[in-house]
Amino acid sequence: MLRRGVGKADLFASLVVFLVALPLCVGVAIASGVPAELGLITGMVGGLVAGVLPGSSLQVSGPAAGLTVLVYEAVQRYGPQALGVLVLAAGLVQLGLGALRLGRWFRAVSVAVVHGMLAGIGLVLVAGQVYALGDAAAPAGGLAKLGGLVSLPGKVDPVALSVGGATMVVLLLWGRWRRGARLVPAPLVAVALAAGVTWVFDLDVRRVQVQGLLDAVRLPEPSDFGRLTEVGVIGTVVAFALIASAESLFSAAAVDRLHDGRRTDYDRELMAQGAGNAVCGVLGALPMTAVIVRSASNVQAGARTKASRVLHGVWLLLFAAVVPGVLEVIPVAALAGLLVYAGCKLVPVREMRKLWHEHRGEVVVLGVTAVAIVVGNLFEGVLIGLALAVAKTAWEISHVHVETEDRGEAGLVVRVLGHATFLRLPKLLDALDALPHDREVRLELGGLRHVDHACAAALEGWAAARGQALAATSSSTS
Protein backbone atom coordinates (compact mmCIF):
# COMPACT_ATOMS: atom_id res chain seq x y z
CA MET A 1 0.00 0.00 0.00
CA LEU A 2 1.23 3.47 -0.86
CA ARG A 3 1.28 6.04 1.87
CA ARG A 4 -1.41 8.73 1.77
CA GLY A 5 -0.15 11.71 -0.25
CA VAL A 6 2.33 9.60 -2.19
CA GLY A 7 -0.19 7.88 -4.46
CA LYS A 8 -1.22 11.00 -6.38
CA ALA A 9 2.36 12.16 -6.85
CA ASP A 10 3.44 8.77 -8.20
CA LEU A 11 0.37 8.53 -10.42
CA PHE A 12 1.08 11.90 -12.02
CA ALA A 13 4.79 11.10 -12.40
CA SER A 14 3.97 7.76 -14.06
CA LEU A 15 1.83 9.52 -16.68
CA VAL A 16 4.62 12.01 -17.40
CA VAL A 17 7.18 9.22 -17.79
CA PHE A 18 4.76 7.29 -20.03
CA LEU A 19 4.37 10.30 -22.32
CA VAL A 20 8.16 10.73 -22.47
CA ALA A 21 8.82 7.03 -23.02
CA LEU A 22 6.19 6.35 -25.69
CA PRO A 23 7.80 8.17 -28.65
CA LEU A 24 11.30 7.18 -27.54
CA CYS A 25 10.41 3.48 -27.32
CA VAL A 26 9.01 3.57 -30.85
CA GLY A 27 11.85 5.69 -32.23
CA VAL A 28 14.61 3.53 -30.77
CA ALA A 29 12.95 0.38 -32.16
CA ILE A 30 12.64 1.84 -35.67
CA ALA A 31 16.26 3.07 -35.59
CA SER A 32 17.38 -0.39 -34.42
CA GLY A 33 15.80 -2.03 -37.46
CA VAL A 34 13.05 -3.94 -35.59
CA PRO A 35 9.24 -3.55 -35.32
CA ALA A 36 8.01 -0.62 -33.24
CA GLU A 37 6.16 -2.97 -30.86
CA LEU A 38 9.46 -4.44 -29.63
CA GLY A 39 10.45 -1.05 -28.25
CA LEU A 40 7.14 -0.85 -26.39
CA ILE A 41 7.63 -4.36 -24.99
CA THR A 42 11.05 -3.39 -23.64
CA GLY A 43 9.51 -0.31 -22.04
CA MET A 44 6.83 -2.47 -20.42
CA VAL A 45 9.42 -4.89 -19.06
CA GLY A 46 11.45 -1.97 -17.75
CA GLY A 47 8.46 -0.91 -15.67
CA LEU A 48 6.78 -4.18 -14.77
CA VAL A 49 9.90 -6.30 -14.12
CA ALA A 50 12.92 -4.10 -13.38
CA GLY A 51 10.59 -1.54 -11.82
CA VAL A 52 9.45 -3.81 -8.99
CA LEU A 53 12.91 -5.13 -8.11
CA PRO A 54 15.21 -3.49 -5.53
CA GLY A 55 18.13 -1.32 -6.56
CA SER A 56 17.23 2.23 -7.48
CA SER A 57 13.78 3.42 -6.42
CA LEU A 58 13.26 6.27 -8.89
CA GLN A 59 15.27 5.19 -11.92
CA VAL A 60 13.24 4.25 -15.05
CA SER A 61 14.36 1.60 -17.54
CA GLY A 62 13.55 0.91 -21.18
CA PRO A 63 15.09 0.92 -24.67
CA ALA A 64 17.85 3.52 -24.92
CA ALA A 65 19.35 5.53 -27.74
CA GLY A 66 22.78 4.58 -26.39
CA LEU A 67 22.36 0.97 -27.52
CA THR A 68 20.72 1.72 -30.86
CA VAL A 69 23.91 1.53 -32.89
CA LEU A 70 25.01 -1.77 -31.35
CA VAL A 71 21.56 -3.35 -31.70
CA TYR A 72 21.28 -2.26 -35.33
CA GLU A 73 24.67 -3.79 -36.12
CA ALA A 74 23.68 -7.04 -34.39
CA VAL A 75 20.36 -7.24 -36.24
CA GLN A 76 22.05 -6.62 -39.58
CA ARG A 77 24.79 -9.18 -38.91
CA TYR A 78 22.89 -12.01 -37.22
CA GLY A 79 19.30 -11.31 -38.20
CA PRO A 80 16.33 -10.17 -36.07
CA GLN A 81 15.61 -13.77 -35.05
CA ALA A 82 18.89 -13.87 -33.08
CA LEU A 83 18.13 -10.72 -31.08
CA GLY A 84 16.20 -12.58 -28.36
CA VAL A 85 18.98 -15.01 -27.47
CA LEU A 86 21.58 -12.18 -27.55
CA VAL A 87 19.58 -10.08 -25.08
CA LEU A 88 18.74 -13.11 -22.91
CA ALA A 89 22.41 -14.07 -22.65
CA ALA A 90 23.37 -10.47 -21.86
CA GLY A 91 20.77 -10.41 -19.08
CA LEU A 92 22.19 -13.60 -17.58
CA VAL A 93 25.68 -12.05 -17.68
CA GLN A 94 24.35 -9.01 -15.81
CA LEU A 95 22.71 -11.25 -13.22
CA GLY A 96 26.04 -13.00 -12.71
CA LEU A 97 27.92 -9.71 -12.36
CA GLY A 98 25.42 -8.52 -9.80
CA ALA A 99 25.54 -11.78 -7.85
CA LEU A 100 29.33 -11.47 -7.71
CA ARG A 101 28.88 -7.92 -6.35
CA LEU A 102 30.73 -6.32 -9.25
CA GLY A 103 28.23 -3.52 -9.77
CA ARG A 104 30.22 -0.99 -7.77
CA TRP A 105 33.27 -1.57 -9.97
CA PHE A 106 31.55 0.08 -12.92
CA ARG A 107 32.06 3.35 -11.06
CA ALA A 108 35.80 2.88 -11.55
CA VAL A 109 35.55 3.31 -15.34
CA SER A 110 37.23 6.48 -16.60
CA VAL A 111 34.78 9.35 -17.01
CA ALA A 112 36.53 10.29 -20.26
CA VAL A 113 35.84 6.82 -21.68
CA VAL A 114 32.17 7.09 -20.71
CA HIS A 115 31.82 10.52 -22.32
CA GLY A 116 33.73 9.26 -25.36
CA MET A 117 31.38 6.29 -25.64
CA LEU A 118 28.35 8.59 -25.48
CA ALA A 119 29.88 10.99 -28.01
CA GLY A 120 30.68 8.18 -30.45
CA ILE A 121 27.19 6.72 -30.11
CA GLY A 122 25.68 10.16 -30.57
CA LEU A 123 27.68 10.87 -33.74
CA VAL A 124 26.81 7.52 -35.35
CA LEU A 125 23.17 7.87 -34.31
CA VAL A 126 22.90 11.37 -35.77
CA ALA A 127 24.69 10.34 -38.97
CA GLY A 128 22.29 7.44 -39.46
CA GLN A 129 19.07 9.27 -38.57
CA VAL A 130 19.83 12.22 -40.86
CA TYR A 131 19.06 9.84 -43.71
CA ALA A 132 15.76 8.84 -42.11
CA LEU A 133 14.89 12.53 -41.78
CA GLY A 134 14.56 12.61 -45.56
CA ASP A 135 13.19 9.07 -46.01
CA ALA A 136 16.51 8.04 -47.62
CA ALA A 137 18.33 4.73 -47.19
CA ALA A 138 21.40 4.88 -44.95
CA PRO A 139 24.63 3.04 -45.85
CA ALA A 140 26.13 0.57 -43.39
CA GLY A 141 28.99 1.60 -41.11
CA GLY A 142 29.75 4.84 -39.32
CA LEU A 143 32.33 6.10 -41.84
CA ALA A 144 30.05 5.26 -44.78
CA LYS A 145 27.22 7.19 -43.16
CA LEU A 146 29.43 10.23 -42.62
CA GLY A 147 30.86 10.03 -46.14
CA GLY A 148 27.42 9.65 -47.68
CA LEU A 149 26.26 12.95 -46.18
CA VAL A 150 28.03 14.77 -49.03
CA SER A 151 25.73 13.28 -51.66
CA LEU A 152 22.64 13.13 -49.42
CA PRO A 153 20.95 16.42 -50.48
CA GLY A 154 19.99 14.99 -53.87
CA LYS A 155 18.41 11.86 -52.37
CA VAL A 156 16.13 13.21 -49.65
CA ASP A 157 12.38 13.72 -49.83
CA PRO A 158 11.82 17.44 -49.15
CA VAL A 159 8.42 16.81 -47.54
CA ALA A 160 9.81 14.25 -45.10
CA LEU A 161 12.82 16.48 -44.39
CA SER A 162 10.47 19.36 -43.57
CA VAL A 163 8.51 17.16 -41.16
CA GLY A 164 11.69 15.97 -39.43
CA GLY A 165 13.18 19.45 -39.29
CA ALA A 166 9.99 20.91 -37.85
CA THR A 167 9.98 18.16 -35.20
CA MET A 168 13.45 19.22 -34.03
CA VAL A 169 12.39 22.88 -33.93
CA VAL A 170 9.41 22.02 -31.72
CA LEU A 171 11.67 19.95 -29.45
CA LEU A 172 14.01 22.90 -28.99
CA LEU A 173 11.32 25.56 -28.47
CA TRP A 174 8.96 23.53 -26.28
CA GLY A 175 11.84 22.30 -24.15
CA ARG A 176 12.78 25.89 -23.34
CA TRP A 177 9.26 26.64 -22.09
CA ARG A 178 9.70 25.10 -18.66
CA ARG A 179 6.10 25.35 -17.54
CA GLY A 180 4.77 23.75 -20.71
CA ALA A 181 7.46 21.04 -20.71
CA ARG A 182 6.47 20.06 -17.16
CA LEU A 183 2.84 19.58 -18.17
CA VAL A 184 3.41 17.85 -21.52
CA PRO A 185 6.89 16.48 -22.44
CA ALA A 186 8.54 17.99 -25.50
CA PRO A 187 9.02 14.62 -27.33
CA LEU A 188 5.30 13.90 -27.17
CA VAL A 189 4.33 17.39 -28.35
CA ALA A 190 6.78 17.29 -31.26
CA VAL A 191 5.80 13.82 -32.49
CA ALA A 192 2.07 14.43 -31.95
CA LEU A 193 2.18 17.68 -33.95
CA ALA A 194 4.11 15.99 -36.76
CA ALA A 195 1.61 13.12 -36.84
CA GLY A 196 -1.33 15.51 -36.78
CA VAL A 197 -0.02 17.68 -39.62
CA THR A 198 0.86 14.75 -41.88
CA TRP A 199 -2.56 13.17 -41.21
CA VAL A 200 -4.61 16.34 -41.77
CA PHE A 201 -2.80 17.29 -44.98
CA ASP A 202 -2.34 13.64 -46.07
CA LEU A 203 1.38 14.17 -46.69
CA ASP A 204 3.14 11.43 -48.62
CA VAL A 205 5.78 10.39 -46.09
CA ARG A 206 6.81 7.04 -44.68
CA ARG A 207 4.93 6.11 -41.49
CA VAL A 208 5.43 3.58 -38.71
CA GLN A 209 4.20 0.11 -39.60
CA VAL A 210 2.32 -1.84 -36.93
CA GLN A 211 1.92 -5.62 -36.89
CA GLY A 212 0.38 -6.18 -33.48
CA LEU A 213 1.90 -6.76 -30.06
CA LEU A 214 1.60 -10.55 -29.98
CA ASP A 215 2.76 -10.88 -33.59
CA ALA A 216 5.95 -8.97 -32.76
CA VAL A 217 6.92 -11.34 -29.93
CA ARG A 218 9.31 -14.08 -30.99
CA LEU A 219 10.43 -16.63 -28.42
CA PRO A 220 14.03 -17.89 -28.94
CA GLU A 221 14.18 -21.31 -30.58
CA PRO A 222 16.67 -24.08 -29.66
CA SER A 223 18.62 -23.45 -32.86
CA ASP A 224 19.16 -19.82 -31.81
CA PHE A 225 21.08 -20.87 -28.71
CA GLY A 226 23.58 -22.69 -30.90
CA ARG A 227 24.80 -19.33 -32.14
CA LEU A 228 26.21 -18.57 -28.70
CA THR A 229 29.22 -20.68 -29.67
CA GLU A 230 30.24 -18.13 -32.33
CA VAL A 231 33.01 -15.74 -31.34
CA GLY A 232 31.26 -12.73 -32.86
CA VAL A 233 28.03 -13.51 -31.04
CA ILE A 234 29.85 -13.89 -27.72
CA GLY A 235 31.50 -10.52 -28.27
CA THR A 236 28.12 -8.92 -28.98
CA VAL A 237 26.63 -10.45 -25.81
CA VAL A 238 29.51 -9.11 -23.71
CA ALA A 239 29.13 -5.70 -25.34
CA PHE A 240 25.39 -5.66 -24.63
CA ALA A 241 25.94 -6.64 -21.00
CA LEU A 242 28.83 -4.30 -20.20
CA ILE A 243 27.55 -1.22 -22.02
CA ALA A 244 23.97 -1.63 -20.76
CA SER A 245 25.31 -2.13 -17.22
CA ALA A 246 27.62 0.88 -17.40
CA GLU A 247 24.90 3.14 -18.80
CA SER A 248 22.42 2.00 -16.16
CA LEU A 249 24.78 2.46 -13.22
CA PHE A 250 26.08 5.81 -14.45
CA SER A 251 22.46 6.88 -14.82
CA ALA A 252 21.78 5.72 -11.27
CA ALA A 253 24.61 7.88 -9.97
CA ALA A 254 23.15 10.88 -11.80
CA VAL A 255 19.61 10.21 -10.52
CA ASP A 256 20.87 9.91 -6.94
CA ARG A 257 22.08 13.50 -7.22
CA LEU A 258 18.57 14.66 -8.18
CA HIS A 259 16.74 13.55 -5.04
CA ASP A 260 17.24 13.11 -1.29
CA GLY A 261 15.73 9.64 -0.99
CA ARG A 262 17.31 6.24 -0.67
CA ARG A 263 20.59 5.80 -2.56
CA THR A 264 21.07 3.14 -5.23
CA ASP A 265 22.35 -0.32 -4.33
CA TYR A 266 24.53 -0.88 -7.41
CA ASP A 267 24.71 -4.66 -7.16
CA ARG A 268 20.95 -5.04 -6.76
CA GLU A 269 20.30 -2.56 -9.56
CA LEU A 270 22.60 -4.55 -11.82
CA MET A 271 20.64 -7.70 -11.03
CA ALA A 272 17.35 -5.90 -11.68
CA GLN A 273 18.65 -4.81 -15.08
CA GLY A 274 19.79 -8.37 -15.76
CA ALA A 275 16.39 -9.81 -14.85
CA GLY A 276 14.70 -7.27 -17.11
CA ASN A 277 16.98 -8.07 -20.03
CA ALA A 278 16.48 -11.80 -19.52
CA VAL A 279 12.71 -11.30 -19.84
CA CYS A 280 13.22 -9.01 -22.87
CA GLY A 281 15.33 -11.74 -24.46
CA VAL A 282 12.66 -14.38 -23.87
CA LEU A 283 10.16 -12.10 -25.64
CA GLY A 284 12.58 -11.31 -28.48
CA ALA A 285 12.59 -7.59 -27.61
CA LEU A 286 15.24 -4.89 -27.47
CA PRO A 287 17.76 -4.72 -24.62
CA MET A 288 16.93 -2.32 -21.83
CA THR A 289 18.96 0.07 -19.74
CA ALA A 290 18.13 2.72 -17.19
CA VAL A 291 17.55 5.94 -19.12
CA ILE A 292 18.51 9.29 -17.62
CA VAL A 293 15.91 11.27 -19.63
CA ARG A 294 12.97 9.23 -18.29
CA SER A 295 14.50 8.95 -14.83
CA ALA A 296 15.04 12.71 -14.55
CA SER A 297 11.46 13.31 -15.77
CA ASN A 298 10.25 10.90 -13.08
CA VAL A 299 12.07 12.75 -10.31
CA GLN A 300 11.10 16.20 -11.59
CA ALA A 301 7.45 15.15 -11.84
CA GLY A 302 7.46 14.45 -8.09
CA ALA A 303 7.78 10.67 -7.92
CA ARG A 304 8.39 9.36 -4.40
CA THR A 305 8.39 5.58 -4.73
CA LYS A 306 8.98 2.90 -7.34
CA ALA A 307 5.23 2.82 -8.00
CA SER A 308 5.62 5.54 -10.63
CA ARG A 309 7.97 3.51 -12.80
CA VAL A 310 5.83 0.39 -12.44
CA LEU A 311 2.71 2.30 -13.47
CA HIS A 312 4.47 3.74 -16.52
CA GLY A 313 4.92 0.15 -17.70
CA VAL A 314 1.19 -0.46 -17.15
CA TRP A 315 0.29 2.57 -19.31
CA LEU A 316 2.59 1.33 -22.09
CA LEU A 317 0.91 -2.10 -21.94
CA LEU A 318 -2.58 -0.60 -22.10
CA PHE A 319 -1.62 1.66 -24.99
CA ALA A 320 -0.10 -1.17 -27.03
CA ALA A 321 -3.06 -3.46 -26.30
CA VAL A 322 -5.91 -0.99 -26.82
CA VAL A 323 -4.86 1.63 -29.38
CA PRO A 324 -1.78 0.31 -31.27
CA GLY A 325 -3.18 1.71 -34.55
CA VAL A 326 -2.32 5.22 -33.35
CA LEU A 327 1.32 4.43 -34.13
CA GLU A 328 0.50 4.13 -37.84
CA VAL A 329 -0.06 7.88 -38.15
CA ILE A 330 3.43 8.72 -36.82
CA PRO A 331 5.86 9.71 -39.60
CA VAL A 332 9.26 8.02 -39.47
CA ALA A 333 10.89 11.38 -40.21
CA ALA A 334 9.46 12.77 -36.94
CA LEU A 335 10.98 9.91 -34.95
CA ALA A 336 14.26 10.47 -36.80
CA GLY A 337 14.17 14.12 -35.75
CA LEU A 338 13.60 13.00 -32.16
CA LEU A 339 16.62 10.68 -32.30
CA VAL A 340 18.84 13.27 -34.01
CA TYR A 341 17.99 15.57 -31.12
CA ALA A 342 18.74 12.78 -28.62
CA GLY A 343 22.00 11.95 -30.42
CA CYS A 344 23.18 15.54 -30.23
CA LYS A 345 22.43 15.56 -26.50
CA LEU A 346 24.70 12.52 -26.08
CA VAL A 347 27.74 14.52 -27.24
CA PRO A 348 29.11 15.98 -23.96
CA VAL A 349 30.07 19.46 -25.16
CA ARG A 350 30.08 21.05 -21.70
CA GLU A 351 32.12 18.24 -20.18
CA MET A 352 34.64 18.49 -23.02
CA ARG A 353 35.14 22.20 -22.39
CA LYS A 354 35.66 21.58 -18.69
CA LEU A 355 38.11 18.74 -19.31
CA TRP A 356 40.03 20.82 -21.83
CA HIS A 357 40.73 23.48 -19.19
CA GLU A 358 41.52 21.05 -16.37
CA HIS A 359 42.70 17.72 -17.84
CA ARG A 360 43.59 17.90 -21.51
CA GLY A 361 44.83 14.33 -21.53
CA GLU A 362 41.30 13.22 -20.71
CA VAL A 363 40.03 15.02 -23.82
CA VAL A 364 42.43 12.91 -25.88
CA VAL A 365 41.00 9.72 -24.34
CA LEU A 366 37.46 10.99 -24.99
CA GLY A 367 38.23 11.91 -28.60
CA VAL A 368 40.04 8.67 -29.43
CA THR A 369 37.18 6.62 -27.94
CA ALA A 370 34.58 8.51 -29.97
CA VAL A 371 36.55 8.29 -33.22
CA ALA A 372 37.22 4.56 -32.70
CA ILE A 373 33.48 3.96 -32.29
CA VAL A 374 32.68 5.90 -35.46
CA VAL A 375 35.42 4.20 -37.50
CA GLY A 376 34.98 0.69 -36.06
CA ASN A 377 32.18 -0.33 -33.72
CA LEU A 378 30.99 0.35 -30.21
CA PHE A 379 32.67 -2.58 -28.48
CA GLU A 380 36.08 -2.04 -30.07
CA GLY A 381 35.88 1.70 -29.43
CA VAL A 382 35.23 1.23 -25.72
CA LEU A 383 38.08 -1.29 -25.41
CA ILE A 384 40.46 1.13 -27.15
CA GLY A 385 39.33 3.93 -24.86
CA LEU A 386 39.83 1.83 -21.73
CA ALA A 387 43.30 0.74 -22.88
CA LEU A 388 44.28 4.34 -23.60
CA ALA A 389 42.94 5.50 -20.22
CA VAL A 390 44.98 2.83 -18.42
CA ALA A 391 48.10 3.73 -20.41
CA LYS A 392 47.59 7.43 -19.67
CA THR A 393 47.22 6.75 -15.96
CA ALA A 394 50.31 4.54 -15.93
CA TRP A 395 52.31 7.26 -17.67
CA GLU A 396 51.12 9.99 -15.30
CA ILE A 397 51.94 8.10 -12.09
CA SER A 398 55.28 6.86 -13.43
CA HIS A 399 57.36 9.85 -12.41
CA VAL A 400 61.03 9.32 -11.63
CA HIS A 401 63.49 12.00 -10.54
CA VAL A 402 67.28 11.75 -10.24
CA GLU A 403 69.08 14.00 -7.71
CA THR A 404 72.86 14.32 -7.60
CA GLU A 405 74.86 15.57 -4.58
CA ASP A 406 78.57 16.30 -4.96
CA ARG A 407 80.49 15.43 -1.77
CA GLY A 408 83.90 16.34 -3.10
CA GLU A 409 86.51 13.65 -2.52
CA ALA A 410 83.81 11.33 -1.20
CA GLY A 411 82.31 11.24 -4.68
CA LEU A 412 78.76 11.66 -5.86
CA VAL A 413 75.58 10.58 -4.12
CA VAL A 414 72.80 9.88 -6.63
CA ARG A 415 69.26 9.48 -5.33
CA VAL A 416 66.46 8.07 -7.49
CA LEU A 417 63.01 9.17 -6.34
CA GLY A 418 59.42 8.43 -7.40
CA HIS A 419 58.03 5.51 -9.42
CA ALA A 420 60.50 3.69 -11.65
CA THR A 421 58.63 1.77 -14.35
CA PHE A 422 59.56 0.67 -17.86
CA LEU A 423 57.76 3.76 -19.20
CA ARG A 424 60.43 6.00 -17.64
CA LEU A 425 63.37 3.63 -18.08
CA PRO A 426 64.97 5.54 -21.01
CA LYS A 427 64.91 8.77 -19.00
CA LEU A 428 66.39 7.05 -15.94
CA LEU A 429 69.23 5.37 -17.86
CA ASP A 430 70.04 8.59 -19.75
CA ALA A 431 70.44 10.41 -16.41
CA LEU A 432 72.67 7.66 -14.97
CA ASP A 433 74.80 7.31 -18.10
CA ALA A 434 75.45 11.06 -18.04
CA LEU A 435 77.26 10.78 -14.68
CA PRO A 436 81.05 11.23 -14.86
CA HIS A 437 82.95 7.95 -15.13
CA ASP A 438 85.98 9.22 -13.17
CA ARG A 439 84.07 9.83 -9.93
CA GLU A 440 82.93 7.48 -7.21
CA VAL A 441 79.13 7.16 -7.33
CA ARG A 442 76.85 6.03 -4.53
CA LEU A 443 73.39 5.11 -5.89
CA GLU A 444 70.58 5.35 -3.33
CA LEU A 445 67.16 3.91 -4.18
CA GLY A 446 65.43 4.36 -0.84
CA GLY A 447 63.32 7.20 -2.27
CA LEU A 448 61.65 4.96 -4.81
CA ARG A 449 58.03 4.18 -3.97
CA HIS A 450 57.84 1.54 -6.68
CA VAL A 451 60.28 -0.09 -9.07
CA ASP A 452 59.19 -2.70 -11.58
CA HIS A 453 61.23 -5.68 -12.74
CA ALA A 454 62.53 -3.96 -15.89
CA CYS A 455 63.91 -1.00 -13.96
CA ALA A 456 65.31 -3.17 -11.17
CA ALA A 457 67.22 -5.27 -13.69
CA ALA A 458 68.47 -2.17 -15.50
CA LEU A 459 69.68 -0.56 -12.26
CA GLU A 460 71.48 -3.73 -11.23
CA GLY A 461 73.09 -3.93 -14.65
CA TRP A 462 74.20 -0.31 -14.50
CA ALA A 463 75.66 -0.77 -11.00
CA ALA A 464 77.51 -3.92 -12.08
CA ALA A 465 78.96 -2.14 -15.12
CA ARG A 466 80.20 0.72 -12.94
CA GLY A 467 81.47 -1.64 -10.26
CA GLN A 468 79.09 -0.07 -7.76
CA ALA A 469 76.80 -1.63 -5.20
CA LEU A 470 73.26 -0.41 -4.76
CA ALA A 471 73.16 1.47 -1.49
CA ALA A 472 69.47 0.84 -0.89
CA THR A 473 66.48 -0.72 -2.55
CA SER A 474 62.96 0.47 -2.85
CA SER A 475 60.47 -0.80 -0.35
CA SER A 476 58.02 -1.62 -3.17
CA THR A 477 59.49 -3.67 -5.95
CA SER A 478 57.89 -6.03 -8.39
Side-chain angles (χ1 to χ4, degrees):
M1 294 288 293
L2 295 175
R3 291 176 298 169
R4 183 174 298 178
V6 175
K8 291 183 178 180
D10 285 325
L11 179 61
F12 174 74
S14 71
L15 291 171
V16 171
V17 177
F18 160 69
L19 296 176
V20 173
L22 179 61
L24 288 173
C25 287
V26 176
V28 170
I30 298 298
S32 300
V34 300
E37 291 87 347
L38 293 184
L40 293 175
I41 291 173
T42 299
M44 298 173 205
V45 174
L48 300 176
V49 177
V52 301
L53 296 175
S56 176
S57 59
L58 300 181
Q59 185 163 246
V60 183
S61 301
L67 280 176
T68 300
V69 175
L70 187 58
V71 174
Y72 180 82
E73 292 176 353
V75 170
Q76 295 301 309
R77 181 176 300 178
Y78 306 114
Q81 68 278 1
L83 182 59
V85 72
L86 291 174
V87 178
L88 172 58
L92 295 177
V93 171
Q94 287 181 296
L95 283 169
L97 294 175
L100 293 173
R101 303 185 63 81
L102 297 178
R104 67 195 71 182
W105 286 98
F106 281 89
R107 291 180 290 176
V109 177
S110 167
V111 174
V113 175
V114 176
H115 288 320
M117 179 186 74
L118 295 176
I121 291 170
L123 292 173
V124 176
L125 183 60
V126 169
Q129 292 305 304
V130 165
Y131 292 86
L133 275 175
D135 279 354
L143 280 180
K145 289 184 176 68
L146 292 175
L149 296 177
V150 178
S151 59
L152 182 61
K155 302 177 181 178
V156 299
D157 180 352
V159 177
L161 185 61
S162 300
V163 171
T167 301
M168 289 191 291
V169 171
V170 174
L171 282 168
L172 288 170
L173 296 180
W174 192 269
R176 292 184 178 181
W177 184 27
R178 295 184 178 180
R179 185 175 180 181
R182 288 178 181 175
L183 295 175
V184 186
L188 181 67
V189 173
V191 173
L193 284 176
V197 170
T198 54
W199 181 71
V200 170
F201 293 97
D202 194 23
L203 299 180
D204 185 19
V205 294
R206 187 161 60 98
R207 291 177 170 82
V208 175
Q209 295 181 352
V210 178
Q211 63 181 19
L213 195 62
L214 293 178
D215 293 332
V217 172
R218 183 187 182 279
L219 303 180
E221 298 179 358
S223 59
D224 297 331
F225 289 93
R227 305 209 63 175
L228 293 175
T229 59
E230 301 176 22
V231 176
V233 171
I234 295 174
T236 301
V237 168
V238 172
F240 274 176
L242 295 184
I243 293 173
S245 300
E247 188 169 344
S248 296
L249 297 183
F250 294 144
S251 173
V255 172
D256 282 347
R257 292 195 290 268
L258 298 177
H259 66 90
D260 299 324
R262 181 179 298 176
R263 305 292 94 177
T264 298
D265 183 318
Y266 285 87
D267 297 316
R268 289 186 174 184
E269 178 63 19
L270 186 55
M271 295 189 72
Q273 295 294 322
N277 272 319
V279 174
C280 287
V282 170
L283 298 175
L286 293 170
M288 56 167 267
T289 73
V291 187
I292 186 61
V293 175
R294 284 165 234 180
S295 303
S297 298
N298 189 39
V299 175
Q300 293 165 1
R304 301 183 186 180
T305 72
K306 63 175 64 177
S308 61
R309 62 185 190 177
V310 176
L311 285 173
H312 117 275
V314 174
W315 308 141
L316 285 173
L317 175 60
L318 291 175
F319 175 87
V322 178
V323 287
V326 174
L327 298 177
E328 294 184 332
V329 302
I330 299 177
V332 173
L335 296 176
L338 176 62
L339 290 176
V340 167
Y341 179 79
C344 291
K345 299 272 286 184
L346 288 175
V347 180
V349 178
R350 293 183 179 178
E351 288 78 4
M352 289 174 64
R353 291 176 180 172
K354 183 177 180 180
L355 287 176
W356 180 255
H357 291 296
E358 298 178 1
H359 307 283
R360 295 192 176 184
E362 294 291 288
V363 178
V364 175
V365 175
L366 188 156
V368 170
T369 303
V371 171
I373 290 172
V374 173
V375 174
N377 57 55
L378 188 59
F379 189 49
E380 293 174 355
V382 171
L383 290 180
I384 291 173
L386 289 173
L388 184 59
V390 171
K392 172 183 169 293
T393 301
W395 176 262
E396 289 180 343
I397 66 173
S398 179
H399 290 291
V400 65
H401 180 60
V402 179
E403 292 183 353
T404 303
E405 178 184 351
D406 191 342
R407 294 186 176 180
E409 295 182 358
L412 302 175
V413 176
V414 178
R415 302 182 183 90
V416 183
L417 313 172
H419 298 79
T421 70
F422 69 95
L423 295 173
R424 302 290 181 169
L425 184 55
K427 174 184 177 181
L428 176 59
L429 291 179
D430 287 343
L432 295 177
D433 290 339
L435 295 173
H437 291 268
D438 56 350
R439 302 286 302 277
E440 183 74 17
V441 175
R442 175 183 171 83
L443 186 61
E444 296 185 353
L445 306 181
L448 282 176
R449 297 179 181 176
H450 172 80
V451 53
D452 65 10
H453 179 72
C455 282
L459 290 171
E460 291 174 358
W462 180 88
R466 293 286 300 252
Q468 305 289 333
L470 299 184
T473 57
S474 173
S475 59
S476 175
T477 58
S478 64

